[in-house]
Amino acid sequence: MSQTLFEKIAAREISAQIVFEDDLVLAIRDINPQAPTHVLIFPKRAVPRIAEATPDDHKLLGHLLLKAAEVAKKLDLKGGYRLVINNGVDGGETVPHLHVHLLGGRHLAWPPG
Ligand code: 5GP
């Protein structure tokens, strides 16, 4: 199987602005930011999307969310922030490697478009 974009970033084959890394996850600045702070947090082990996660992934998924909150704290998003997971075509997914968007630094409207 060919590597996903985010696996290539984790392997340092493609460069990215890394804001956090541990043995399980990586957090990078989005190349096309939709807010003053727009970070992507993803597991190094590729899960295509949340709809394809299995019970075996539950620890990894918990870790991913906890680290997203830790990155938000590190980036000082005191006014609040939003975590988003896009799933499938209608959900706006473009990279088939599960990732959490962390958006902040401005007021975010609800409902989203
Ligand atoms: P999705 O649309 O799948 O939820 O999110 C994919 C995100 O990856 C998009 O926000 C897009 O801007 C970002 N992205 C796509 N290619 C690259 C890249 O090469 N580097 C970085 N840092 N972000 C990327």
Side-chain angles (χ1 to χ4, degrees), residues 46-54 57 61 85-89 93 95-99:
V47 173
R49 59 193 56 80
I50 193 66
E52 284 168 55
T54 71
D57 297 318
L61 297 179
I85 296 175
N86 296 328
N87 187 95
V89 176
E93 174 200 314
V95 176
H97 179 143
L98 176 64
H99 50 283

Side-chain angles (χ1 to χ4, degrees), residues 16-19 27-33 36-40 75:
Q17 242 186 296
I18 294 170
V19 296
I28 62 169
R29 301 267 180 196
D30 197 291
I31 206 168
N32 182 23
T37 297
H38 187 171
V39 170
L40 305 170
L75 297 178

Side-chain angles (χ1 to χ4, degrees), residues 21-64:
E21 178 172 27
D22 67 12
D23 51 339
L24 294 178
V25 304
L26 194 64
I28 62 169
R29 301 267 180 196
D30 197 291
I31 206 168
N32 182 23
Q34 301 301 310
T37 297
H38 187 171
V39 170
L40 305 170
I41 305 102
F42 56 87
K44 291 180 174 177
R45 175 169 65 79
V47 173
R49 59 193 56 80
I50 193 66
E52 284 168 55
T54 71
D56 285 346
D57 297 318
H58 83 276
K59 275 191 180 165
L60 182 62
L61 297 179
H63 187 79
L64 186 66

